[in-house]
């Protein structure tokens, strides 16, 4: 009983550190590894502070790029397990044939090619935290085994009949709506109930635009420190960033800041270097082209590409993003049109 209580009760040292983090947030807008002063993010910070000192399983939901792994790391760093490993597994990035062995490990000779014993993520994360990202991409048959681990607290390596204690805290995440994933057959309903003990939902960046300048300045400060050359944003650059919809969320913002830093030669980054991964709503509103029924598709494609290029003032990156093609594909098309005697527009930044 005392062991259980010690897991649930937050030690005074962690309480003091949590208080320090709250004070840091008041000063700078930073909470652990997270940045933002918006009301929605303050709710996330409150949830993290409440659940981190417990052993409760957490399910983090939110669109891709919102920072689900960063939330999981922050929970781990505020927990009694922080001196033990934090391991992250992207369930959608491991082949179905290998994922069971990677998560639970395998014995020597368990299958063809298993020439030695292999410790899986559960063993390597012993005493720490295991972050299962994109949990809905885990094969259903493996979800059954994960459910068994959560219910019994033990697991077995592939090819073994000996149970091993799973002293691991599970934090799972998905960019799908969990209930929809269940309805679509992507997630077992019983596993959802086991994982969704303490849900944390991360807001998309478009719903907290007041945090964009703070995040952008944070990313810029990091790259300035790393590269050794200080730069700052012009006010119009920050304004432009706040008008973008950010379908790629915080990850896209970080990419945009890094690209702008590289492209700007001077100390002030203007809005001309802000190349978004996807066009904003304002940029999508452009002129129309008229196509006659029966026009060959190649001619339609050429007209659309050249008109879009003209609309974006020969800016190749924005044109490719608006058309949904790679920059390489765009360059190949423009090269073809040039060889056919049709100019593809001047080079741009």
């Amino acid at each position: 009983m005392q062991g259980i209580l010690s897991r649930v009760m937050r030690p005074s040292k962690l309480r003091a550190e949590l208080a320090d983090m709250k004070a840091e947030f008041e000063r700078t807008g930073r909470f652990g590894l997270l940045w933002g002063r918006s009301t929605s993010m303050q709710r996330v910070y409150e949830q993290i502070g409440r659940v981190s000192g417990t052993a409760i399983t957490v399910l983090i939901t939110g669109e891709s790029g919102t920072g689900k792994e960063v939330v999981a790391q922050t929970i781990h760093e505020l927990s009694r397990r922080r001196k033990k490993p934090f391991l992250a597994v992207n369930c959608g990035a491991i082949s179905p044939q290998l994922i069971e062995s990677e998560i639970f490990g395998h014995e020597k000779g368990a299958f063809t090619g298993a020439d030695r014993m292999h410790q899986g993520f559960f063993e390597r994360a012993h005493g720490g935290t295991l972050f299962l990202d994109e949990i809905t991409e885990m094969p259903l048959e493996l979800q059954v085994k994960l459910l068994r681990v959560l219910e019994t607290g033990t697991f077995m390596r592939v090819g073994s009949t000996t149970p091993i204690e799973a002293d691991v805290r599970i934090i799972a995440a998905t960019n799908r709506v969990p209930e929809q994933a269940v309805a679509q057959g992507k997630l077992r309903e019983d596993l959802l109930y086991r994982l969704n003990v303490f849900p944390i939902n991360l807001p998309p960046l478009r719903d907290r635009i007041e945090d964009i300048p703070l995040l952008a300045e944070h990313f810029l400060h990091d790259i300035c420190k790393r590269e050794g050359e200080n730069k700052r944003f012009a006010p119009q650059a920050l304004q432009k960033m706040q008008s973008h919809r950010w379908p790629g969320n915080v990850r896209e913002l970080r990419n945009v800041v890094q690209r702008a830093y590289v492209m700007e030669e001077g100390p002030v980054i203007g809005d001309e270097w802000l190349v978004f991964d996807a066009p904003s709503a304002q940029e999508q509103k452009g002129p129309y082209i008229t196509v006659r029924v029966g026009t060959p598709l190649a001619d339609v494609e050429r007209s659309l590409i050249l008109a879009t290029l003209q609309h974006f003032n020969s800016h190749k990156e924005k044109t490719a993003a608006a058309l949904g093609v790679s920059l390489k594909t765009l360059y190949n098309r423009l090269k073809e049109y040039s060889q056919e005697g049709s100019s593809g527009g001047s080079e741009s930044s």
Side-chain angles (χ1 to χ4, degrees), residues 73-300:
Q73 287 178 314
T74 303
I75 292 172
H76 175 74
E77 289 300 321
L78 273 173
S79 76
R80 299 193 66 191
R81 295 177 177 268
R82 62 181 178 172
K83 293 184 178 180
K84 297 295 184 177
F86 172 87
L87 298 183
V89 186
N90 187 326
C91 298
I94 306 175
S95 73
Q97 293 75 28
L98 295 176
I99 190 168
E100 182 178 2
S101 172
E102 287 300 310
I103 291 179
F104 297 121
H106 64 251
E107 297 289 351
K108 180 179 179 180
F111 50 85
T112 303
D115 53 0
R116 60 182 177 82
M117 187 275 286
H118 171 69
Q119 287 190 338
F121 282 104
F122 264 101
E123 280 185 86
R124 284 182 275 151
H126 184 77
T129 302
L130 183 59
F131 176 56
L132 298 175
D133 197 8
E134 303 308 340
I135 188 68
T136 56
E137 307 309 308
M138 178 182 285
L140 291 175
E141 59 270 22
L142 194 56
Q143 291 185 25
V144 175
K145 297 185 178 181
L146 176 60
L147 179 64
R148 190 176 302 126
V149 176
L150 293 172
E151 290 176 339
T152 66
T154 63
F155 68 95
M156 290 183 288
R157 299 190 195 116
V158 177
S160 172
T161 56
T162 304
I164 301 173
E165 181 185 357
D167 181 16
V168 174
R169 188 203 192 144
I170 296 294
I171 301 177
T174 178
N175 59 12
R176 297 175 182 266
V177 177
E179 292 76 15
Q180 291 182 3
V182 171
Q184 295 165 354
K186 290 283 189 177
L187 180 66
R188 289 180 59 95
E189 187 174 26
D190 48 6
L191 179 59
L192 172 60
Y193 290 139
R194 275 289 181 176
L195 295 174
N196 202 29
V197 179
F198 194 92
I200 296 178
N201 180 255
L202 290 184
L205 189 55
R206 63 182 173 274
D207 288 350
R208 55 182 186 115
I209 58 174
E210 64 267 43
D211 289 338
I212 290 173
L214 183 64
L215 284 161
E217 296 286 3
H218 161 61
F219 292 137
L220 182 60
H221 173 76
D222 273 1
I223 192 171
C224 287
K225 185 177 180 181
R226 187 167 63 248
E227 299 297 331
E229 183 179 356
N230 289 328
K231 298 181 183 181
R232 59 185 174 84
F233 288 115
Q236 65 267 28
L238 293 173
Q239 291 171 4
K240 184 174 180 179
M241 282 190 276
Q242 285 187 291
S243 69
H244 183 58
R245 292 288 292 170
W246 300 107
N249 291 296
V250 179
R251 184 183 296 127
E252 182 188 355
L253 175 59
R254 184 180 63 233
N255 293 342
V256 167
V257 171
Q258 291 177 338
R259 285 198 293 261
Y261 177 92
V262 171
M263 294 303 297
E264 177 56 65
E265 295 181 347
V268 181
I269 299 174
D271 60 358
E272 67 270 23
W273 296 122
L274 298 179
V275 181
F276 300 118
D277 291 354
S280 65
Q282 290 87 344
E283 290 175 326
Q284 289 176 342
K285 297 176 182 177
Y288 294 88
I289 63 170
T290 302
V291 179
R292 179 179 54 82
V293 174
T295 302
L297 283 177
D299 292 344
V300 174

Side-chain angles (χ1 to χ4, degrees), residues 17 24 44 52 55 118 122 132 135 200 287 317 336:
E17 290 186 3
E24 175 72 13
V44 171
S52 57
H118 171 69
F122 264 101
L132 298 175
I135 188 68
I200 296 178
E317 288 90 345
E336 293 172 9

